[in-house]
Amino acid sequence: WHPPGSSSRGSWKMNGWKKTDTEVVCSPPTAYIDFTQQKLDPKIAVPAQNGYKVTNGSDELIEQKVAHALAEGLGVIACIGKKLHAREAGITEKVVFEQTKVITDKVKDWSKVILADKPVWDIGTSKTATPQQAQEVHKKLQGWLKSNVSDAVAQSTHIIYEGSVTRVTCKELVSQPDVDGFLLGGSSLKSEFMDINAKQ
Ligand SMILES: *[C@@H]1O[C@H](CO)[C@@H](O)[C@H](O)[C@H]1NC(C)=O
Ligand SMILES: *[C@@H]1O[C@H](CO)[C@@H](O)[C@H](O)[C@H]1NC(C)=O
């Protein structure tokens, strides 16, 4: 990494010998890792420039990110419920409410916030939530907002669904009273993305 305006070049000077046991690496910005790997000789390793200190994030990290984004005037789509090892029955509500509370503490202007519900039980499994299960969670989230924030915020805040959605399931999902739209993962990479949007 170089500070803006600086640059450096490798200078081999008179060191013209060839070594066969030298390991060469090229470390580009993260967005270019795949590109760089494709272009370079496979003998050259492509390490990342940066990493994160734990395997995955935490509620506090989300809190800080939301606070920072809002303070900078950005809007956020806050994903609720994406928590591993939260598959055991009965703890969905606890997880969802805890995460919503963490975000809520940082929000002053709710017009900048969309909540996305990611069903906690379908992560890493082949199980998908039914439209009724999605509705149940969205209704609980709305109820949470109503009693813990305000009626107006509960009415106006969009709660979108981030579970598995297909061209077949989208109609029934979006007909649920408290499902206000979708945040699409895998299906946004397929042609059915157009069908899902067309049906709304
Ligand atoms: C996320 O972090 C937890 C706690 O460190 C760990 O047990 C879990 O395996 C991690 N999940 C993934 C997908 O890396
Ligand atoms: C309000 O928030 C608390 C703390 O998260 C929660 O236990 C309670 O169930 C919420 N109220 C409703 C109606 O969801």
Side-chain angles (χ1 to χ4, degrees):
W1 179 83
H2 300 289
S6 79
S7 76
S8 64
R9 288 163 182 77
S11 170
W12 293 357
K13 301 199 174 75
M14 295 298 287
N15 300 305
W17 65 86
K18 287 183 178 170
K19 292 185 82 174
T20 50
D21 59 350
T22 302
E23 197 182 356
V24 177
V25 305
C26 172
S27 183
T30 303
Y32 301 117
I33 286 180
D34 186 46
F35 175 80
T36 309
Q37 218 159 17
Q38 284 174 33
K39 294 282 172 197
L40 290 178
D41 187 312
K43 284 197 292 262
I44 302 173
V46 182
Q49 290 182 5
N50 206 345
Y52 193 58
K53 63 182 161 44
V54 291
T55 314
N56 50 51
S58 61
D59 288 356
E60 304 81 71
L61 177 68
I62 303 299
E63 180 177 14
Q64 290 161 5
K65 286 191 194 183
V66 167
H68 183 62
L70 293 174
E72 293 297 325
L74 298 173
V76 298
I77 300 176
C79 301
I80 306 287
K82 193 163 188 159
K83 194 163 192 167
L84 272 116
H85 308 292
R87 277 181 242 150
E88 306 95 286
I91 73 163
T92 303
E93 184 172 305
K94 184 171 175 287
V95 168
V96 162
F97 283 3
E98 273 173 11
Q99 294 184 0
T100 310
K101 174 144 187 17
V102 158
I103 289 160
T104 299
D105 289 347
K106 299 294 169 197
V107 179
K108 292 185 189 79
D109 177 1
W110 277 88
S111 71
K112 297 275 195 188
V113 178
I114 291 171
L115 296 180
D117 152 46
K118 171 85 187 167
V120 294
W121 59 81
D122 80 352
I123 295 150
T125 74
S126 55
K127 288 184 203 157
T128 56
T130 64
Q132 291 71 31
Q133 285 171 319
Q135 164 60 18
E136 196 185 319
V137 174
H138 286 226
K139 196 176 162 66
K140 279 184 178 155
L141 274 172
Q142 214 203 17
W144 193 98
L145 289 175
K146 186 173 171 174
S147 89
N148 285 295
V149 185
S150 76
D151 207 359
V153 163
Q155 291 300 324
S156 63
T157 303
H158 283 176
I159 303 172
I160 63 176
Y161 183 66
E162 199 195 346
S164 158
V165 180
T166 65
R167 60 162 71 86
V168 178
T169 58
C170 68
K171 262 194 163 172
E172 200 186 342
L173 274 164
V174 86
S175 71
Q176 305 298 317
D178 298 310
V179 174
D180 300 322
F182 303 126
L183 182 57
L184 299 171
S187 55
S188 67
L189 300 168
K190 303 176 193 157
S191 63
E192 73 182 336
F193 181 60
M194 301 310 285
D195 299 334
I196 291 168
N197 279 298
K199 282 179 180 146
Q200 300 335 305

